[in-house]
Amino acid sequence: MNGTLIIDLILLALVLVAAVATVEVRNLFAATILASIYSLLMACFWTTMDAVDVAYTEAAVGAGISTILLIGTLVLTGPRETVRKAVHWPALLVCLCVGALLIYGTVDMPAFGAKDAPAHTHPLYGGFTKQDITKQPGSKGAEDYETYLAAQEAHGEAHGHGDYFHGHVPNQVTSIIVAYRGYDTMFETCVIFTAGIGMIVLLRGRRGNPLKGGLL
Amino acid sequence: MLAQVELSLLRTDIPSLVGGVALLLGISLLLVRAVAGPTTYDRILAMNAIGTKAALLIALLGFITERPDFLDIALAYAILNFVGTIAILKFIRHRRLG
């Protein structure tokens, strides 16, 4: 039993309380604030899981921007929930089944931080850890770079292509984002572009509009 | 699954652990205030205080996992929390951010 595990368990219990309270609370303003608290707690949890970038995004988007946007909506619509529908049992059943399937799927996953996890044994990983190589002679980074180049050459001889990247750009991030999942990146960009256009059209001030001059 | 985590990866000393649990206890009390709080301002205050506690918890996690660079993240969280609270209060008071 280690310390971060205890902290994780208490943190997740608090996250659960915040999530249930967000759904159950009647006042929509309180629900917004509770959703923001949920995001803050999840950001802490991401930090303990070593996903600091995810934690940053969660804190900035979840607790920051989306709270402001929800409050902006509530200022226009009013903070009262009008109709409270009864529980839709088939939907709840489907949710529970999908949740059980997802938990069943985690059984095959390697333990958190395991050294023999596929993500840590893939030949690319050695390249990823050398992102901050310095090429100046005499530095530790230079030795790392030499080992990296040697490993790359050996890999090329063994597999018949020149490097880890099948002849794509040698920078790992660029290679993966632009070459390996280029279509994914292209359509992500399309989605973000469309969302931006939609936001500009919606928030643009119009004559006779209650949001005259735009929301922001 | 979580119990299989390597112990050497996450060394912990007792004072840090006690501090972390105390912070989480504070967060749970504030969560009660956020759920029960009669006025909106109780809830906003609870959110702001939870944000402060989250920054402290991240700083403490830096000590627990022996990565002092987490302190920068905690500072960024503190700034973000401050700006977020000001923005929410301003929105409620003036109904716009500008």
Side-chain angles (χ1 to χ4, degrees), chain A residues 80-96:
Chain A
R80 296 217 172 272
E81 194 179 9
T82 47
V83 187
R84 193 169 184 85
K85 288 178 184 165
V87 179
H88 192 282
W89 291 104
L92 182 65
L93 192 70
V94 170
C95 280
L96 287 177

Side-chain angles (χ1 to χ4, degrees), chain A residues 3 29-30 36 48 50 52 55 68, chain B residues 12 40 47 61 67 73 77 92:
Chain A
F29 207 98
S36 169
T48 69
D50 234 2
V52 179
I68 305 279
Chain B
T12 316
T40 300
M47 189 197 76
L61 280 170
R67 294 169 66 180
I73 301 165
Y77 271 48
I92 291 170

